[in-house]
Amino acid sequence: MVAAPTIRPAARRQPRPAAARIKRTKSWSLTALTTLMLVYTLLPLAWLVISASKTQDGLLSTFGLWFGGDFALADNVGKVFTYQDGIYLRWLGNTVFYVVIGAGGATLLAALAGYGLAKFAFRGRKAVFALILGAVAVPPTALAVPTFLLFAKMGITDTVWAVIIPSLMIPFSLYLMWVFATDAVPDEILESARVDGAGEFRIFFSLAVPLLSPGLVTALLFNVVVTWNNLFLPLIMLKDRNLYPITMGIYTWNQQSQTVGGDVVFNLVITGSLLAIIPLIAAFLLLQRYWQSGLAVGSVKQ
Amino acid sequence: MRITRRRALLGAAMSITLLATGCGSADDTSGDAPAKTSVSDADIETALQTGGNLTVWAWEPTLKKVVADFQVKYPKVKVNLVSVGSGNDQYTALQNAVKAGTGVPDVAQIEYYALPQFALSKAVTDLNAFGATSLDGTFTPGPWGSVHSGDKIFGLPMDSGPMALFYNKEVFDKYAIQVPTTWAEYAAAAEKLHKANPKAYLTSDSGDAGFTTSMIWQAGGRPYRVDGTNVGINFDDEGTKKWTSLWQGLIDKKLLAPIPGWSDAWYKGLGDGTIASLVIGAWMPPNLESGVKAAAGKWRVAPMPQWAAGEKVTAENGGSSLAVTEASQNKNLAYGFMKYATVGDGAQSRTDQGSFPATTAQLTADAFKNKEFPYLGGQKANEVLSAAATQVASGWSYLPFQVYSNSVYNDSVGKAYTGGSTLHDGLKAWQDASTKYGQEQGFTIR
């Protein structure tokens, strides 16, 4: 997926017969390998789709990788939205809220900070750079408990802020924006804008943002995925079921099967998971063309 | 999560913090002597009538109705029942909250194996202050012993799990297998079944700390000796060896299905006959009904197999208590609620909803014993199960850091199940890991 767009424009520029010859000599092993990877990647997804069509009983009594028994997809979807007073929809709404505010905010902050660091020379810039690289290396999981203790002192655990504030800081996307801004926004444009008397904020929003947009979309996609899939942080922070994101909700449904007297609902866990990834897939399909052109930037000398 | 668990244990620093914050009516719990009764039943009744807010962390599903009924009876009390996750998830949350000093619930559900850990770290209150000793005889010996730590009482038993043999009668009949009454017969049955149908196993086990300790408990092993912060760990005693030699035999002959408990494969196996029996706690029937619908009518219950013919010894497997946290601002009310839920009207309500009681009154009631389970082919299963509750061997104790120990069980003993080690060596490694951890936490390990 990542390699495709950077190869294609280059290949097109080559004389066609030559390209065809090169392709043919390499194709068998490469095709086999990519096919294998494709199957490997799609198999879990296929399992998810197939399993979502089964009842709780069918799930346990039929072969996992093919349809069996009743086709209960519609029934499962209905149950997912009505089980436990329809709390699934609330969880989905929570996740969307966390993603819009958290991932959206993180992208904005990353763009501002990345642009600032790339385009303004100031004392201690190297130190900031080192700090951010270090922050990229620290797994969020390791920070969860200290963050919890900090938030507990502030009295904001078990509120939406406990999830949103940490997800506003994604050092990797700041790093990404910084690197991107360095190349994508030529200093000459900024200088001429300043000469024309534009303020820094105007320059950023009117000039830099359009130039940064491919990188912004990349960072946004990355942040959306991270925030959408976030489980550990809410697991530590949230007690109130009504604040759970979808990941936590499905996790608790799954945990019911391991609880004395708990209701076993594997079929709802699976169907709920399938429904939960659809918005992510949609986001990728809608945003991928921006993302692709973003990746190619800097690969060709102007 | 594991990181938290490791860190969030006791250690001198934490105990001091807790004492310094000093939120407790039962002040003398810090010493070794149990708290003297300082709260009378009248005080508790007053608290219930005066009302207030209570936060209860519990995942047990039957408590929902208990809370609703309780609020009808005591309209001025507002109970906030929160499920913050089951088992380890809740313990992590509780330890984090205790450490942070805020957001600690008034009442928490804690499994018996985990209770000593919270007791020793002073996260939960000694209930002697509320006259809990007067409840002697109210509960069956197994769970009542499990909430004790020395003379102190740290929780009220909510349910219990005396062990029994659950088996798939259809599979047993098909291969003409007698219901085993001794472990020797059990091993023979395991061999016979797997020979008759190579896809079928008498039971499954891929390494489960709770099951192992329960089995050693029944066999007479007492690997853990706990006296305050003096802890003995020894998996070399006779009882433990009895169990390892039996179970090692089953592992060596590949007679145990390598399926982890509570996984979807496990539920599948219980439904289609590839796992033909379970030696497990008496709380199992509702889980079979909910998770193994495919085998409705096929399962039955029999007494747990014995080490010698004619014996009647069982052990506890699972089960949990309710405990009042040290940080609770309204302990009288919290205790009042707990008493309602575990010995008052709540006990009956929960039993009616399918929970397996820890109270002798509910266990010996005719209605309970005569209850027919349609799922179990109409069997009066409680006759077997309530008898098992009276046969729990005494003298068992869990480590004051059992939650941690259980979390590393698979790193050591787990290898025995895949042939990389033996149960005996695995238990030895587990012992070493537990000892090391205990020493790091400031325990004196003998």
Side-chain angles (χ1 to χ4, degrees):
Chain A
M1 219 168 155
V2 173
T6 47
I7 287 169
R8 223 182 286 138
R12 238 177 252 148
R13 242 173 270 135
Q14 303 231 353
R16 267 166 203 282
R21 212 180 307 129
I22 289 167
K23 254 189 182 170
R24 202 154 288 155
T25 48
K26 283 185 181 173
S27 68
W28 280 115
S29 54
L30 198 65
T31 310
L33 196 71
T34 42
T35 309
L36 206 69
M37 295 310 286
L38 188 73
V39 170
Y40 178 77
T41 319
L42 289 182
L43 212 57
L45 196 65
W47 177 86
L48 190 64
V49 173
I50 290 166
S51 297
S53 77
K54 295 177 182 177
T55 59
Q56 167 67 23
D57 270 346
L59 209 52
L60 298 180
S61 59
T62 57
F63 177 62
L65 281 174
W66 198 241
F67 299 92
D70 309 319
F71 191 82
L73 181 62
D75 189 44
N76 282 340
V77 171
K79 275 190 190 143
V80 163
F81 285 113
T82 53
Y83 186 61
Q84 293 178 349
D85 302 325
I87 198 160
Y88 184 88
L89 210 58
R90 161 123 206 173
W91 291 337
L92 202 61
N94 290 345
T95 292
V96 170
F97 177 73
Y98 296 142
V99 163
V100 169
I101 308 291
T107 311
L108 183 69
L109 286 176
L112 284 167
Y115 168 81
L117 284 163
K119 293 300 160 195
F120 296 92
F122 57 91
R123 257 174 182 284
R125 197 155 74 139
K126 280 223 169 93
V128 176
F129 186 74
L131 200 70
I132 290 166
L133 274 186
V136 170
V138 178
T141 313
L143 295 174
V145 174
T147 314
F148 173 85
L149 294 175
L150 193 74
F151 282 12
K153 288 269 179 289
M154 296 163 69
I156 56 168
T157 52
D158 207 16
T159 66
V160 291
W161 301 112
V163 177
I164 286 179
I165 293 175
S167 53
L168 285 175
M169 279 129 229
I170 302 181
F172 178 74
S173 58
L174 167 53
Y175 177 68
L176 199 79
M177 286 314 294
W178 178 356
V179 172
F180 191 83
T182 308
D183 279 344
V185 185
D187 290 335
E188 293 80 359
I189 295 186
L190 299 181
E191 277 158 23
S192 63
R194 281 185 197 124
V195 168
D196 289 344
E200 289 302 333
F201 276 102
R202 172 131 189 241
I203 293 174
F204 176 74
F205 284 106
S206 311
L207 280 173
V209 166
L211 290 168
L212 285 174
S213 65
L216 269 173
V217 172
T218 311
L220 181 68
L221 262 179
F222 176 78
N223 295 348
V224 165
V225 172
V226 169
T227 316
W228 192 278
N229 290 334
N230 198 355
L231 170 69
F232 194 72
L233 186 77
L235 184 72
I236 294 231
M237 295 292 179
L238 300 179
K239 309 285 174 274
D240 185 351
R241 274 170 82 79
N242 289 320
L243 297 180
Y244 283 2
I246 198 74
T247 44
M248 268 292 280
I250 293 172
Y251 173 75
T252 58
W253 281 1
N254 193 41
Q255 289 303 95
Q256 286 182 191
S257 68
Q258 306 188 13
T259 308
V260 171
D263 199 9
V264 183
V265 287
F266 288 132
N267 57 330
L268 301 189
V269 172
I270 286 167
T271 311
S273 306
L274 179 66
L275 293 173
I277 61 169
I278 290 175
L280 268 191
I281 294 174
F284 262 90
L285 292 180
L286 284 172
L287 297 175
Q288 71 164 340
R289 51 205 175 106
Y290 301 102
W291 186 42
Q292 286 176 356
S293 65
L295 277 174
V297 165
S299 61
V300 184
K301 206 165 159 65
Q302 286 155 343
Chain B
M1 266 183 300
R2 241 164 234 176
I3 299 163
T4 1
R5 215 176 297 139
R6 258 170 222 172
R7 247 192 256 142
L9 261 168
L10 36 144
M14 186 171 159
S15 311
I16 290 163
T17 330
L18 282 171
L19 288 174
T21 40
C23 33
S25 61
D27 283 325
D28 46 357
T29 46
S30 53
D32 284 318
K36 291 192 185 73
T37 304
S38 56
V39 181
S40 69
D41 288 356
D43 294 339
I44 290 159
E45 192 56 34
T46 310
L48 288 168
Q49 296 300 342
T50 314
N53 290 318
L54 269 190
T55 301
V56 179
W57 282 5
W59 63 86
E60 218 284 342
T62 64
L63 277 177
K64 246 184 210 161
K65 186 169 185 311
V66 172
V67 165
D69 294 346
F70 177 78
Q71 292 182 127
V72 171
K73 191 168 176 187
Y74 301 104
K76 287 183 180 164
V77 186
K78 170 91 185 62
V79 180
N80 180 24
L81 178 66
V82 192
S83 170
V84 304
S86 55
N88 280 340
D89 289 339
Q90 148 141 340
Y91 304 146
T92 307
L94 188 59
Q95 280 164 340
N96 283 343
V98 168
K99 208 169 162 191
T102 60
V104 184
D106 299 284
V107 175
Q109 176 180 0
I110 300 175
E111 286 161 281
Y112 297 127
Y113 85 91
L115 193 57
Q117 178 166 324
F118 288 97
L120 205 67
S121 63
K122 298 195 168 68
V124 294
T125 302
D126 179 7
L127 302 177
N128 275 301
F130 306 91
T133 38
S134 68
L135 296 173
D136 259 342
T138 309
F139 300 100
T140 51
W144 188 233
S146 300
V147 296
H148 278 72
S149 176
D151 291 333
K152 298 182 181 183
I153 302 169
F154 286 104
L156 294 185
M158 184 156 63
D159 53 14
S160 68
M163 294 177 94
L165 175 71
F166 290 76
Y167 66 98
N168 188 325
K169 187 171 185 293
E170 195 184 66
V171 175
F172 274 44
D173 287 350
K174 187 174 175 190
Y175 299 106
I177 290 164
Q178 296 286 315
V179 178
T181 60
T182 65
W183 288 113
E185 287 174 24
Y186 183 87
E191 200 157 3
K192 186 175 175 186
L193 173 65
H194 191 59
K195 211 173 226 173
N197 178 1
K199 278 188 181 165
Y201 296 87
L202 187 59
T203 196
S204 72
D205 187 13
S206 63
D208 177 301
F211 175 74
T212 297
T213 46
S214 291
M215 289 293 284
I216 292 172
W217 180 343
Q218 189 222 10
R222 295 292 178 269
Y224 305 130
R225 300 275 173 191
V226 182
D227 177 16
T229 54
N230 288 314
V231 177
I233 309 175
N234 175 22
F235 279 103
D236 239 354
D237 65 357
E238 285 311 307
T240 305
K241 281 180 185 161
K242 262 199 231 173
W243 177 74
T244 48
S245 68
L246 168 84
W247 221 246
Q248 190 65 52
L250 297 180
I251 293 171
D252 290 344
K253 292 177 190 162
K254 300 200 187 317
L255 298 176
L256 299 173
I259 297 172
W262 309 98
S263 61
D264 53 343
W266 185 72
Y267 279 108
K268 180 174 154 75
L270 295 177
D272 65 15
T274 51
I275 302 173
S277 78
L278 288 174
V279 177
I280 208 163
W283 34 258
M284 192 63 200
N287 286 75
L288 284 171
E289 283 166 30
S290 161
V292 197
K293 293 195 178 80
K298 295 176 185 171
W299 284 75
R300 299 289 184 277
V301 181
M304 187 180 188
Q306 299 294 314
W307 289 96
E311 277 184 353
K312 285 179 174 166
V313 181
T314 62
E316 289 280 336
N317 180 232
S320 49
S321 62
L322 289 178
V324 177
T325 60
E326 194 60 67
S328 170
Q329 296 297 314
N330 203 343
K331 292 199 175 72
N332 293 2
L333 189 59
Y335 185 75
F337 169 76
M338 262 171 47
K339 215 172 156 188
Y340 175 90
T342 57
V343 287
D345 297 348
Q348 189 57 45
S349 158
R350 298 186 53 256
T351 307
D352 291 343
Q353 292 177 73
S355 166
F356 194 79
T359 38
T360 39
Q362 269 67 36
L363 273 171
T364 51
D366 285 340
F368 178 75
K369 284 192 174 173
N370 292 329
K371 184 186 170 190
E372 290 176 8
F373 287 78
Y375 185 92
L376 301 169
Q379 189 188 6
K380 291 178 181 174
N382 286 338
E383 286 178 341
V384 178
L385 300 175
S386 72
T390 64
Q391 297 160 359
V392 175
S394 60
W396 177 268
S397 42
Y398 284 112
L399 290 174
F401 44 89
Q402 195 73 41
V403 175
Y404 168 81
S405 277
N406 282 7
S407 74
V408 297
Y409 177 89
N410 273 306
D411 304 342
S412 45
V413 195
K415 287 176 196 151
Y417 290 86
T418 50
S421 167
T422 63
L423 281 176
H424 180 266
D425 292 347
L427 287 172
K428 184 80 184 65
W430 192 32
Q431 176 179 326
D432 293 343
S434 299
T435 301
K436 185 166 172 279
Y437 177 77
Q439 280 164 345
E440 282 167 10
Q441 297 297 320
F443 290 93
T444 311
I445 311 279
R446 277 170 284 134

